[in-house]
Amino acid sequence: MPIAELNGAKLYYDIRGSGPETVVFAHGLLWSGEMFAEQVAALEKDYRCVTFDFRGQGRSAVTRDGYDMDTLAADAAALIESLHLGPCHVAGLSMGGFVAMRLAARRPDLVRSLILLETSAEAEPEENIPRYRVLNFVARWFGLGLVAGQVMPIMFGRKFLEDPKRQAERDRYRAALSANRRVGISRAVRGVIDRSAILPELNRIAAPTLVIVGDQDIATVPAKAERIRDAIRGAELVVIPGAGHSSTMEEPAAVTAAIRRFLANHGSRAA
């Protein structure tokens, strides 16, 4: 199992494909790099695809601290440098997007292009925080299994949740949520809840940027994607019909097609 020891953390990573350009995928809260499995499978024939798990999540080690977005961005930068991946295309979903925006604004030397999915450049809305803290308390002391039923409608859109043909997928993702380690995930959740806004720094991003949002995302609604698009010069926006907050898993073909088109237009060969 490949592990990178960086900034006092042991981070799991996986590399697939061997193309001339690299895409680094940064996952969302409560998940792991596996949430990009469909995109990696489709792109690895043409690109080197790198997924990794943030500290405390997936197969990376739980650390005592370092779950704030600035530290996670430093982890991502260190991983890219240690594996000699930069400049690379960086794709981040939700929490991964919080990190990817910081990386593009502060380490432009590492970022060839930026793909932001189901994310926000703003601090967590005040009205969400009490509910999320209660859910996090229950998850920390009793396990995510007890709150998975409340988390699933945040993570997925109506189309996915109501499709009788996708029951097996729902069961699999619910099991994955419930299997998160309680200490690591509770610390990761606090890092997300307490994050500061990155919106004031977006005008520093010069990398070509694609913003993707599902039209059924209630966690980071499409209006937040529009504000990111408007704040980054030249950014493009793609809305995925029928997708919620986990669009890479809900509508993988549509998300992959949007990413492939963008990479074709903004890779080194296009340049």
Side-chain angles (χ1 to χ4, degrees):
M1 188 170 75
I3 295 290
E5 297 193 26
L6 307 163
N7 301 333
K10 295 181 179 180
L11 303 183
Y12 169 82
Y13 68 91
D14 183 59
I15 301 178
R16 302 290 177 93
S18 57
E21 297 178 37
T22 298
V23 186
V24 175
F25 295 91
H27 66 85
L29 180 67
L30 306 183
W31 301 108
S32 72
E34 287 293 320
M35 76 179 313
F36 297 106
E38 296 280 355
Q39 288 70 47
V40 170
L43 295 172
E44 65 178 331
K45 297 177 183 177
D46 301 305
Y47 299 90
R48 180 169 53 167
C49 297
V50 180
T51 57
F52 71 98
D53 298 343
F54 287 109
R55 56 175 73 200
Q57 300 186 73
R59 282 171 277 189
S60 291
V62 176
T63 59
R64 181 177 295 275
D65 52 23
Y67 295 86
D68 60 282
M69 297 305 110
D70 291 346
T71 301
L72 297 185
D75 287 349
L79 181 71
I80 291 170
E81 290 180 313
S82 69
L83 298 178
H84 308 290
L85 305 175
C88 56
H89 306 283
V90 178
L93 187 148
S94 191
M95 185 187 75
F98 307 156
V99 170
M101 284 183 275
R102 285 163 172 79
L103 196 62
R106 301 169 187 176
R107 291 298 309 273
D109 57 307
L110 299 179
V111 181
R112 183 186 298 278
S113 76
L114 185 63
I115 302 168
L116 302 170
L117 306 99
E118 319 301 340
T119 194
S120 169
E122 301 152 39
E124 189 65 41
E126 288 293 330
E127 62 270 21
N128 292 347
I129 293 176
R131 180 190 179 198
Y132 289 171
R133 291 201 190 282
V134 170
L135 291 174
N136 196 36
F137 176 85
V138 174
R140 166 63 180 87
W141 294 105
F142 304 102
L144 260 86
L146 288 181
V147 296
Q150 297 176 65
V151 173
M152 289 287 285
I154 299 172
M155 289 292 170
F156 298 98
R158 297 186 313 278
K159 179 182 177 182
F160 176 79
L161 292 173
E162 296 172 1
D163 187 345
K165 297 179 181 179
R166 303 188 76 175
Q167 184 62 51
E169 290 178 75
R170 289 193 294 273
D171 291 344
R172 186 168 74 252
Y173 295 142
R174 181 169 181 149
L177 286 173
S178 300
N180 275 294
R181 289 163 294 173
R182 292 185 293 172
V183 172
I185 209 63
S186 67
R187 292 172 180 171
V189 169
R190 287 199 300 270
V192 166
I193 291 174
D194 296 335
R195 73 184 186 277
S196 58
I198 189 65
L199 190 62
E201 296 185 47
L202 295 192
N203 61 3
R204 295 164 52 185
I205 296 178
T209 300
L210 171 65
V211 184
I212 296 175
V213 67
D215 66 357
Q216 295 182 7
D217 188 348
I218 64 169
T220 50
V221 296
K224 295 187 177 184
E226 293 170 2
R227 288 195 283 274
I228 294 173
R229 185 268 318 272
D230 293 343
I232 300 176
R233 184 171 59 254
E236 310 168 42
L237 175 64
V238 171
V239 178
I240 305 295
H245 193 59
S246 303
S247 58
T248 59
M249 300 184 287
E250 296 172 77
E251 298 292 335
V255 170
T256 301
I259 292 175
R260 187 182 288 281
R261 286 194 299 269
F262 176 76
L263 293 175
N265 289 333
H266 296 288
S268 59
R269 285 169 291 183

